[in-house]
Amino acid sequence: MTEAIVVADALRRVFGAKTAVDGLTFSVPRGAAVGYIGANGAGKSTTIKMLTGILKPTSGSALTCGLEPLRHRRQLARRIGVVFGQRSQLWWDLPLRDSFRALGAIHRLGRDALRDRTAELVDRLDLGEFVDTPVRQLSLGQRIRGEVAAALLHGPQLLILDEPTIGLDVLSKERLRVFLTEQRALHGTSLLLATHDMGDVRRLTERILVVDHGRLAFDGTLTQLVEQVGAERVVVLDLTDPAPPLDGIPGTRLVGVEAGGLRQRLSFGSGETTVAAILAVVARRGPAVHDLTIEEPDIEAVVRRLYAS
């Protein structure tokens, strides 16, 4: 069995009359990338604070990197990296490079190790143009890249990201996603990602945990979630010649006809039919398929359907 880097067992946290986290039980295998998603107030940030030793659970237990987070908070800090999208671990009036030096000293990195790791992160995150600029003068996208570099400076076993791309433009988000994918491949870093950005979930994680009012509503892959809520995929058929509407194909629903019948869109549920079966029926009707694409369900809509069920 793969060793777990995070274990939550009946984790619960109460604030006065409000139960923020209510009996969460899950584990994250070492080396995995898991998305932790839910609406505002669902309990995501509270869970992360308990897993990192910032908050004490009201009941239940947690192990992160094999340590009890609150009891072994100092030791745990050397094994994890954490980025909170709206909080900073950088020194506001210092250049990024000076923040990295200070953090290197805190984590007791040797001079050579700090130099080599800083150079790697500056290169891979394109920090070179502003690494000597005070943090207060950086754009949001530049600062977030600096935050991620700071969290990874000491080579943590686990990287925890809480809304890391909030407020970033499309280019900055994509640059950060590519970097995180590379880091996992190069260093085997485990990833726990709490986010509202479904693009992050789709691109960066292999498994998702959906939390609703502090309780675990789903644990599995995105494909399994789509199947559970009955969301539909869309096959887009580009035909060589215009054809009448391709309605009445078993297991499908015609949702669009474009360019006078040259392009047709059929939605279908994964358990109702397959693309191969659809193409077989289309071929019997006569029109030749020049090209096809599959549009996956919108993940935000899938999650909304899960909450509604």
Side-chain angles (χ1 to χ4, degrees), residues 22-302:
D22 191 6
L24 281 180
T25 296
F26 65 87
S27 64
V28 176
R30 189 173 297 276
V34 174
Y36 191 45
I37 63 179
N40 284 327
K44 303 188 302 298
S45 293
T46 300
T47 305
I48 287 175
K49 289 175 181 176
M50 289 189 285
L51 294 177
T52 55
I54 296 173
L55 284 178
K56 180 180 179 180
T58 303
S59 61
S61 63
L63 285 177
T64 304
C65 299
L67 300 171
E68 295 180 30
L70 195 62
R71 183 179 177 186
H72 301 291
R73 189 173 174 183
R74 286 190 177 182
Q75 297 97 310
L76 182 59
R78 301 185 187 280
R79 302 188 187 185
I80 64 173
V82 184
V83 175
F84 291 99
Q86 301 189 48
R87 298 181 183 178
S88 180
Q89 60 188 314
L90 302 171
W91 279 262
W92 194 245
D93 292 313
L94 294 180
L96 273 178
R97 193 184 301 278
D98 288 352
S99 285
F100 295 161
R101 287 174 182 151
L103 290 167
I106 290 171
H107 289 294
R108 299 178 185 176
L109 296 180
R111 181 179 299 177
D112 291 344
L114 175 60
R115 182 195 64 227
D116 293 345
R117 185 62 169 154
T118 299
E120 177 190 359
L121 292 168
V122 167
D123 176 58
R124 294 190 176 275
L125 276 166
D126 295 325
L127 307 180
E129 292 184 1
F130 53 87
V131 70
D132 293 307
T133 302
V135 171
R136 58 183 166 77
Q137 295 180 16
L138 301 181
S139 69
L140 177 60
Q142 291 171 335
R143 183 177 67 78
I144 292 298
R145 279 185 277 158
E147 296 281 0
V148 172
L152 288 169
L153 191 66
H154 56 296
Q157 301 170 20
L158 171 67
L159 179 62
I160 300 176
L161 303 176
D162 188 2
E163 301 290 357
T165 63
I166 190 168
L168 297 188
D169 58 53
V170 173
L171 183 60
S172 296
K173 285 184 181 183
E174 184 59 22
R175 182 184 288 120
L176 185 57
R177 290 167 183 166
V178 169
F179 167 76
L180 291 171
T181 300
E182 289 177 348
Q183 284 295 293
R184 288 194 61 224
L186 286 170
H187 301 288
T189 310
S190 305
L191 177 65
L192 180 61
L193 172 67
T195 184
H196 282 94
D197 192 314
M198 297 300 104
D200 289 346
V201 174
R202 190 185 295 278
R203 288 289 304 278
L204 294 173
T205 67
E206 302 130 4
R207 170 183 161 213
I208 55 176
L209 306 171
V210 181
V211 63
D212 183 25
H213 292 92
R215 297 181 179 180
L216 194 62
F218 176 82
D219 179 356
T221 66
L222 179 56
T223 299
Q224 290 169 337
L225 176 59
V226 168
E227 292 176 349
Q228 179 172 316
V229 301
E232 295 184 330
R233 305 163 75 194
V234 174
V235 57
V236 182
L237 301 174
D238 288 318
L239 308 176
T240 55
D241 297 295
L246 295 171
D247 50 8
I249 295 178
T252 73
R253 180 169 55 89
L254 183 65
V255 294
V257 178
E258 304 169 22
L262 279 172
R263 170 173 288 184
Q264 307 206 23
R265 306 162 67 90
L266 303 168
S267 68
F268 65 100
S270 298
E272 298 173 358
T273 188
T274 64
V275 174
I278 295 171
L279 290 177
V281 175
V282 172
R284 288 199 296 270
R285 290 194 179 184
V289 177
H290 171 68
D291 195 10
L292 69 85
T293 56
I294 305 294
E295 295 178 352
E296 299 295 338
D298 178 77
I299 189 171
E300 293 181 345
V302 170

Side-chain angles (χ1 to χ4, degrees), residues 7-21:
V7 177
D9 185 11
L11 205 56
R12 191 166 184 265
R13 175 69 194 198
V14 177
F15 297 97
K18 177 178 172 149
T19 301
V21 173

